[in-house]
Amino acid sequence: MSIHQVNPADHSGANRNLNNYVAKQVVAQALGLNTKPSPMENEQTEAAGTTPSQEAEPVLVSSTVAPAPESESEEVSLPTASLPPRQYAGEAQLMAAILDWQRNLRKELEADNLATEHPPAGSDSNYMAKLVVAQAVGLQPEPSPKEAAPSLEAEPLLVSSMVAPAPELEEAALPPASTPLLQLPAPTLPLPPGVTRGLPTHTSQDFRNLPRHVWLVRDVFHGGEVIILWGESQAGKTALLLDMVAAIASGSDWAGHPVTRTNVIYVALEGQIGVRTRVQALEHDRGVSHLEGIHYVFNPCNVVSEADVNELALTALKHDAKFIVIDTLSASIAGMAEENSNSAMAGMIANVQRLTQMTGAAVLLVHHCGNDPKRGARGAYALHANPDVSIEVGRSGEDRYWRLDKGRDGVPASGWFKIEGVSFQPEHETEPLKSIVVRHVEDAEAPAALPSPKTKAQERADEALKAITLHLSIAGVGPDGEQSPGDATYEAINKVVAQAFKDKCDSGEEGYGSNHRAKNVREAIQSLIDAGLLILHEGKVRLPH
């Protein structure tokens, strides 16, 4: 009888062959199957000139670590009742049984490791079979139930068998015994050679020593930000802005908002003569000979040009100005950049941001809106997305308003103002000058939601009412010139409105085209009737009394 020592730490091919073969023999005996001699045993038998026996000698397992209970000999016969009796035929069925039992034993061994120190009686009879198969499949053997102090590392098993090592069998693809859960991935890409410098980092404890936002106009914009102030023509943008500049330069509140006093650079690129007159009117209205701290630039300055921005930065540093106004953006970039191009406008904003970094100043760009004010500032979307703050200036009848369309921190700010004409005569002028100044409406509460721009349907209804009112006023004139409430048939009113829409289309207005003109005419008339601005009675239309 040959004695083979099975060492789990040894991964050589010979030991794996022996381990698999021994496991096979153990399983076969446990299932009550006949075992076959190994190929090496067949070769030894043929060399001796004898016929191999059809019944292999039972595999005897001896261990110096955990001897089987109630046994006086060193050889221990493994139990044959570990699995329910089943019939297997052929080598393939035997291998399937071995793999199944390996999986089951793996689960049992893992469960045993979590069991209490006092397993149920009778478990020793299964222990040796588990131990042999555990070593065959590469698991750490568990200690014997009756060991007083189980060792951390089991000693190698001595397996007694007359058979030679079996050919290597394919090991079953079993899941790992213990896989760490939620393990984050390790780096898979090495750094390029020569990378030795990282980026500086800060913790929140450093924030007290780092720059922070300071309101230039409280709840409107901070110092060092990029602001775009936009609105439709004749909304009062320049008048409102000059009023803001005067407040910042003097340190007085603007529209009820406290300011941080600083010098100002005002780049006036549109209507320069009108700007000078408005500044004089503002000084006259404030009762001062001139406003201190404001420096005006009338030379061209293109905010797309890096050289022009560098010169503007030097000018701001020279006068210690922390507020720079570009009036207007369109005049500044004329012929140098396309305001409908996102890439061009994003590059322009980046250049303006560089200006803020070189000076620490807030930079305000004055811009126009398109034909539809509800679409925001005219041009590329970058003109809305890239600036830090966006301020809309609009009007509702004779009243004007400004509101924070986009801002950082603070509460949404807004306000109403009026444009008031003034007449004054400076000392050096031979005749009076006329201009306008801003009057903030501070007593009235600013509405929670400022009026939104009219839709095209509302604009068409207004145009229809104008045309109908004119037609009915003419129809109401009697033969002697007396005026009376006029009326007209619905068909006649329909033709009047259709002609008015055609005239608007011919003048280039959008939304009055011929494609849907008939539908737009009907909807405009019906909206006026629904609103009570027209009376339809017995097929005739008239204005309300």
Side-chain angles (χ1 to χ4, degrees), residues 234-240 278 393 398-400 416-422 435-441:
Q234 304 299 316
K237 297 185 296 295
T238 300
L240 182 69
R278 289 187 182 184
V393 179
E398 294 300 321
D399 295 329
R400 268 82 167 173
W416 292 92
F417 66 97
K418 293 180 179 294
I419 299 296
E420 184 178 297
V422 294
S435 188
I436 58 174
V437 293
V438 166
R439 299 284 186 240
H440 294 281
V441 183

Side-chain angles (χ1 to χ4, degrees), residues 273-335:
I273 296 176
V275 168
R276 291 196 288 267
T277 304
R278 289 187 182 184
V279 170
Q280 290 176 306
L282 187 59
E283 292 173 341
H284 170 78
D285 189 62
R286 287 176 171 256
V288 297
S289 58
H290 70 280
L291 294 171
E292 297 283 350
I294 307 175
H295 303 273
Y296 302 92
V297 175
F298 298 109
N299 290 351
C301 179
N302 194 318
V303 290
V304 175
S305 167
E306 183 175 334
D308 285 6
V309 165
N310 292 343
E311 292 178 0
L312 183 55
L314 180 61
T315 304
L317 292 173
K318 175 183 176 182
H319 295 286
D320 193 23
K322 298 297 183 182
F323 188 38
I324 302 173
V325 176
I326 308 294
D327 186 6
T328 64
L329 174 63
S330 178
S332 174
I333 66 174

Side-chain angles (χ1 to χ4, degrees), residues 403-416:
R403 65 176 172 184
L404 201 62
D405 183 51
K406 170 189 173 184
R408 306 222 184 246
D409 306 326
V411 296
S414 62
W416 292 92

Side-chain angles (χ1 to χ4, degrees), residues 24 33 36 88-100 169:
K24 177 179 176 182
L33 300 174
K36 297 181 181 181
Y88 288 87
E91 185 74 9
Q93 295 295 332
L94 181 58
M95 287 304 302
I98 293 174
L99 296 179
D100 289 340
L169 301 176

Side-chain angles (χ1 to χ4, degrees), residues 360-377:
V363 180
L364 187 147
L365 307 171
V366 181
H367 196 40
H368 302 286
C369 66
N371 293 330
D372 190 356
K374 68 181 180 181
R375 296 180 179 270

Side-chain angles (χ1 to χ4, degrees), residues 344-416:
M345 292 300 98
M348 180 274 298
I349 296 294
N351 208 26
V352 173
Q353 289 171 339
R354 192 172 64 87
L355 176 61
T356 68
Q357 294 167 358
M358 290 188 292
T359 61
V363 180
L364 187 147
L365 307 171
V366 181
H367 196 40
H368 302 286
C369 66
N371 293 330
D372 190 356
K374 68 181 180 181
R375 296 180 179 270
R378 186 181 68 196
Y381 180 69
L383 291 174
H384 170 78
N386 293 26
D388 302 298
V389 178
S390 175
I391 301 174
E392 177 192 359
V393 179
R395 59 181 178 176
S396 177
E398 294 300 321
D399 295 329
R400 268 82 167 173
Y401 65 86
W402 64 270
R403 65 176 172 184
L404 201 62
D405 183 51
K406 170 189 173 184
R408 306 222 184 246
D409 306 326
V411 296
S414 62
W416 292 92

